Amino acid sequence: MTPDTAWLGQSFHCEGWRDEMALRIASFDWSGTAMGPIDRWSKSLRAAVKLMLASPAPLVMLWGRPGTMIYNDAYADFAGGRHPFLLGKPVEEGWSEIAAFNRHVVDTCLSGATLSYADKRLTLHRNGQPEDVWMDLHYSPVAEDDGHPAGVLAIVLETTGKVLAEQRRDAAERAFREANERLQLALSSGIVLGTWVWDPTSGRISGDERFVKTLGLQGGIDASWPFEALAERLHPEDAERVLASMNKALYSAEGRHEIELRVRGPQGQYRWALSSGRCEFDAADRPLRLPGVLVDIHERKIAEDKLLRLTQTLEERVAEAVTARVEAEERLRQVQKLEAIGNLTGGVAHDFNNVLQIISANLQLIELATRDKPDLTRRLHVMSEAVARGGKLASQMLAFARRQPLNPAVVNPAKLIADMCEFLQRALPESIKLTTSVANEAWNLFVDRHQLENALLNLVINSRDAIHGGGNIWLEVANASFADGHANGLALPAGDYVRLAVIDDGAGMPGSVKARMFEPFYSTKAEGQGTGLGLSMVFGFVSQSAGCVDVQTQVGEGTTVALYFPRCRQAETANEDGARPRASRGGEVVLVVEDDDDVRLSTIDMLAQLGYKVLSAQDADSALEVLQMNHDIDLLFSDVVMPGTIRANELAKIASAPPYRATVVFASGYTRDIIFHEGRLDEGVVLLKKPFTFDDLARTVRHALDARR
Ligand SMILES: Nc1ncnc2c1ncn2[C@@H]1O[C@H](COP(=O)(O)OP(=O)(O)OP(=O)(O)O)[C@@H](O)[C@H]1O
Ligand SMILES: [Mg+2]
């Protein structure tokens, strides 16, 4: 027997009473539920169901303690995939994912209370997967015929769409607020030079306070200006570009404007700025306005420019560095080569000197013994001259080897040049003009004056030889200060120097000659015209004087040879060069110490001829013995380099100290550190250069003995 559902049968034009849910409810078997068979439903329940079905709002009734679910068409829509499964189900089974929530609802309302939630968020599985749903929920009890609460009526209004929209709006508002904050920060950071708006219709531009101030425009923020008024404040090269960029923005799809420009400041100086904006269009794509901002990019632009220049010159600088390195290596090779040749030359010169000394001494002794034979005397004289030439050669070689004894003094270069000028002029033919120029207040030098004169003479003669026909030679003196030891390219330590330069407009030197010019005996001159020792000597002397030589030369243009000497801060001392003591005969006791037998014998002979009482020893050890036995020795005449355990300077120290108090004269053709410090004679040490003449020996010994008194 089908249940009696006539009470649901007639719709009376109410759609809810004949739609899907009315049919489903009528045909559903309710007998197994808390509601019991439909034909036994109470009046109240029937009324409530009809009320619910008629409502356009989603309504659901939860009946009895299990909360058996019965709902209308609108709720069926809300339930999605869960419908029609929900119909007749206890609510905790129907919506198992929110069972606890519904249990509370049913219990609360069955006790007579109501519940209301606005935008209640629940996670439902309406279509197979979890989904956040927001709802306005209103629960109220439904009475049975006897009046007690038997069910719960729920109005379920889904608000998910509204909530999500609100969330989106909130997020948008937050984003807007943040963007606005950032904009305000940027505007107040000083990077922004102002904001502006261009009205394409009127062609006028207005701007904020900063913009007006940056461009130094007249008028307030309400004012506007034609572009020409702005153009006057921009760099002349930029104005046209800026206008073109703004115009382009009006007709491009994106409407973007961006350009770097220079704005003139109040003092006329320009600053780099970036102008950028985006055109706004109306519905018909007509340009409405172009708002923009002016940003300070000066520092960045300057840094970029610098970087650009840096990269552009990088290649050049690498090439320069490589060249400098190659040159430095070449210089080093050159120095090493000269050093090696110097050692060799110095050694040869030493032996050569000793040989000359023997010849010279014996020649002079023969000369003394044969005064009455004029024929022989003449020949002896020729031989003496040859020995003297050889001696000069040896001393030039020693000069190159930086082993010549120097006798430095304070020299005023201005005076030196003035003194030399006439003499130099005489060495030059009339076709060559010598011009000297000495800087005001040229600093003093501390050098061997004689050697410096010699060096300058050598340079002038080299220039003379390089000038064919007529030409010029300039002699220049100037001060030179180097702050950075390497910047000068001369391998000189930083400091103050005096530069003496001999410049000519002669033939100049090709690279092959320049590379070898300092080598001793290197000469391009015809046989007998040059020994090739000139520049060698100059090089040795200048190096030994803590200076350096710089040669710049160009074939066909000329040559500059510059000598740099360290500045001396002392005033020039009186010229002591004056009268030399003349040789005179003495009766004093002289001890000669010399390891070379021939040299020793000839020296003894000469001293004896001069009237001295002569003792001798062949090394320092035996000299010390002689010294100890003869306390009356007045003068020790000693070679510098000798075999034995005692060195010459140690012997000299003993001899000059009490009780002997002898005067010391060294004889040497080749000097090492023992009597020199940095190439200079120790204070009070007398040196006689080998080979010496009879006269040199007489004068030196006499002078040393006289100075003792
Ligand atoms: N001012 C100069 N112009 C052109 N070439 C020069 C100049 N000075 C030197 N030279 C070249 O350097 C070479 C060596 O010079 P250096 O003075 O050492 O020897 P020299 O002049 O040939 O001989 P010496 O100086 O011993 O008489 C010269 O032969 C010449 O080729
Ligand atoms: Mg020369």
Side-chain angles (χ1 to χ4, degrees):
M1 202 179 83
T2 49
D4 170 21
T5 55
W7 60 274
L8 254 179
Q10 240 188 309
S11 72
F12 301 100
H13 307 297
C14 172
E15 284 186 14
W17 293 340
R18 62 160 185 241
D19 267 354
E20 181 196 344
M21 287 316 293
L23 298 175
R24 279 190 186 277
I25 290 168
S27 57
F28 191 80
D29 177 10
W30 295 94
S31 49
T33 71
M35 296 168 81
I38 192 165
D39 49 355
R40 297 215 203 121
W41 287 3
S42 66
K43 272 194 181 138
S44 315
L45 177 54
R46 290 180 186 190
V49 168
K50 288 200 87 166
L51 169 78
M52 186 187 73
L53 284 175
S55 172
L59 297 183
V60 59
M61 223 163 26
L62 313 174
W63 199 255
R65 213 194 106 71
T68 300
M69 299 181 73
I70 177 165
Y71 50 86
N72 68 1
D73 293 283
Y75 186 87
D77 284 348
F78 161 79
R82 283 290 179 96
H83 165 74
F85 162 78
L86 292 176
L87 192 66
K89 287 276 169 344
V91 70
E92 282 165 275
E93 191 189 329
W95 291 112
S96 55
E97 60 268 42
I98 52 168
F101 174 78
N102 281 321
R103 181 76 263 142
H104 170 70
V105 166
V106 173
D107 290 349
T108 305
C109 291
L110 288 183
S111 67
T114 59
L115 285 169
S116 258
Y117 300 90
D119 295 331
K120 170 77 180 167
R121 179 182 156 182
L122 292 171
T123 304
L124 302 180
H125 295 234
R126 287 192 293 197
N127 296 301
Q129 67 255 24
E131 168 192 18
D132 282 341
V133 178
W134 284 263
M135 290 159 286
D136 282 349
L137 298 168
H138 305 281
Y139 299 98
S140 52
V142 179
E144 241 318 353
D145 285 354
D146 60 359
H148 80 272
V152 181
L153 182 69
I155 307 172
V156 180
L157 298 170
E158 183 169 359
T159 56
T160 305
K162 182 200 78 175
V163 169
L164 290 179
E166 277 173 3
Q167 282 181 353
R168 275 196 296 275
R169 191 199 58 213
D170 288 351
E173 269 177 17
R174 215 169 27 249
F176 176 72
R177 238 192 344 269
E178 283 170 8
N180 202 34
E181 263 169 26
R182 278 198 296 275
L183 182 66
Q184 288 307 324
L185 271 177
L187 285 172
S188 58
S189 68
I191 293 170
V192 174
L193 298 173
T195 59
W196 51 267
V197 178
W198 189 38
D199 177 357
T201 326
S202 67
R204 293 181 78 85
I205 294 169
S206 52
D208 65 4
E209 221 172 299
R210 246 181 294 239
F211 182 77
V212 173
K213 196 167 153 228
T214 300
L215 283 133
L217 295 164
Q218 297 301 317
I221 20 173
D222 297 332
S224 64
W225 303 266
F227 182 81
E228 295 69 45
L230 264 75
E232 285 174 19
R233 311 288 165 169
L234 305 182
H235 194 285
E237 288 171 14
D238 295 347
E240 211 171 302
R241 282 191 307 123
V242 174
L243 185 61
S245 162
M246 284 164 59
N247 271 318
K248 200 173 147 207
L250 301 185
Y251 301 107
S252 72
E254 287 186 332
R256 285 200 68 83
H257 152 76
E258 186 167 296
I259 195 164
E260 292 178 350
L261 48 87
R262 284 159 289 183
V263 178
R264 196 173 63 231
Q267 265 91 48
Q269 79 288 16
Y270 287 97
R271 254 191 113 69
W272 280 102
L274 174 75
S275 170
S276 58
R278 178 176 278 182
C279 185
E280 289 169 10
F281 300 94
D282 65 8
D285 274 347
R286 277 187 302 258
L288 277 178
R289 58 204 287 274
L290 173 57
V293 59
L294 203 60
V295 178
D296 188 339
I297 54 163
H298 193 68
E299 307 300 330
R300 189 200 81 199
K301 196 76 182 153
I302 297 299
E304 274 175 10
D305 278 3
K306 255 193 210 153
L307 193 68
L308 190 71
R309 268 202 304 279
L310 202 73
T311 38
Q312 278 168 346
T313 58
L314 191 64
E315 212 170 297
E316 240 168 72
R317 286 184 303 132
V318 167
E320 272 170 24
V322 169
T323 317
R325 203 203 156 100
V326 168
E327 280 173 1
E329 280 172 1
E330 182 52 37
R331 262 203 306 278
L332 182 67
R333 250 199 305 283
Q334 203 51 8
V335 166
Q336 285 169 341
K337 185 177 78 180
L338 291 174
E339 188 71 28
I341 303 175
N343 284 335
L344 187 72
T345 316
V348 171
H350 169 234
D351 291 341
F352 189 41
N353 254 345
N354 267 348
V355 172
L356 287 175
Q357 183 55 47
I358 297 159
I359 300 172
S360 155
N362 284 295
L363 277 177
Q364 287 169 63
L365 289 171
I366 299 171
E367 225 176 317
L368 282 178
T370 55
R371 273 187 201 151
D372 45 342
K373 299 189 179 120
D375 195 34
L376 255 181
T377 309
R378 198 165 37 77
R379 284 164 194 245
L380 285 171
H381 194 65
V382 174
M383 288 166 82
S384 291
E385 273 181 356
V387 169
R389 265 212 313 282
K392 194 174 153 219
L393 203 62
S395 90
Q396 285 174 334
M397 284 157 70
L398 284 172
F400 166 68
R402 282 173 275 161
R403 281 172 192 152
Q404 72 176 330
L406 292 179
N407 198 2
V410 182
V411 172
N412 176 327
K415 259 199 226 158
L416 177 100
I417 301 293
D419 290 350
M420 282 188 79
C421 210
E422 201 194 317
F423 158 70
L424 288 175
Q425 200 84 59
R426 260 188 276 133
L428 300 174
E430 279 193 352
S431 59
I432 295 176
K433 188 170 166 232
L434 176 70
T435 313
T436 58
S437 95
V438 180
N440 279 340
E441 295 175 21
W443 294 321
N444 283 348
L445 330 166
F446 188 69
V447 289
D448 187 317
R449 184 189 171 103
H450 177 66
Q451 294 299 332
L452 178 57
E453 286 173 351
N454 202 13
L456 291 174
L457 177 64
N458 263 302
L459 297 181
V460 168
I461 288 175
N462 277 352
S463 289
R464 178 199 68 190
D465 295 347
I467 294 171
H468 311 300
N472 285 284
I473 298 176
W474 295 270
L475 190 52
E476 288 179 2
V477 180
N479 297 334
S481 293
F482 302 124
D484 181 342
H486 297 285
N488 58 56
L490 301 170
L492 280 176
D496 291 338
Y497 294 85
V498 180
R499 177 181 188 267
L500 293 104
V502 175
I503 303 157
D504 65 60
D505 56 2
M509 283 179 256
S512 56
V513 174
K514 191 184 175 211
R516 301 192 58 191
M517 65 192 170
F518 289 136
E519 282 177 30
F521 305 110
Y522 176 77
S523 172
T524 58
K525 293 173 188 169
E527 191 75 29
Q529 302 262 325
T531 55
L533 280 168
L535 282 180
S536 317
M537 260 168 59
V538 171
F539 171 81
F541 158 64
V542 177
S543 311
Q544 203 179 338
S545 306
C548 99
V549 186
D550 177 48
V551 180
Q552 304 291 333
T553 182
Q554 195 84 46
V555 175
E557 301 276 319
T559 302
T560 299
V561 182
L563 314 181
Y564 289 88
F565 294 99
R567 171 188 186 176
C568 167
R569 289 177 187 275
Q570 280 162 269
E572 196 182 22
T573 40
N575 194 353
E576 292 170 8
D577 220 32
R580 287 189 170 171
R582 273 192 286 120
S584 64
R585 303 178 70 88
E588 291 94 340
V589 183
V590 178
L591 170 58
V592 176
V593 191
E594 168 67 65
D595 61 325
D596 189 303
D597 290 343
D598 294 333
V599 176
R600 189 175 65 252
L601 290 176
S602 57
T603 308
I604 294 170
D605 231 337
M606 287 196 278
L607 287 169
Q609 294 254 1
L610 288 165
Y612 295 104
K613 206 174 145 216
V614 188
L615 300 173
S616 72
Q618 55 186 0
D619 56 33
D621 298 74
S622 40
L624 195 60
E625 286 171 25
V626 178
L627 203 60
Q628 280 159 353
M629 287 186 293
N630 298 277
H631 285 203
D632 57 346
I633 290 172
D634 297 292
L635 188 133
L636 172 71
F637 187 90
S638 173
D639 187 14
V640 176
V641 188
M642 285 181 299
T645 57
I646 305 176
R647 302 212 287 171
N649 62 334
E650 289 163 354
L651 174 68
K653 234 183 222 152
I654 298 169
S656 57
Y660 315 113
R661 291 196 174 83
T663 301
V664 181
V665 173
F666 282 112
S668 177
Y670 180 74
T671 49
R672 291 187 205 260
D673 295 346
I674 52 165
I675 57 164
F676 294 100
H677 288 113
E678 291 166 5
R680 290 165 187 170
L681 277 178
D682 279 350
E683 195 73 28
V685 171
V686 181
L687 180 87
L688 183 60
K689 274 204 266 177
K690 284 181 183 174
F692 46 83
T693 62
F694 189 79
D695 252 14
D696 291 337
L697 177 70
R699 198 169 22 236
T700 307
V701 167
R702 191 65 257 151
H703 183 53
L705 285 168
D706 289 349
R708 190 169 66 133
R709 301 215 170 92

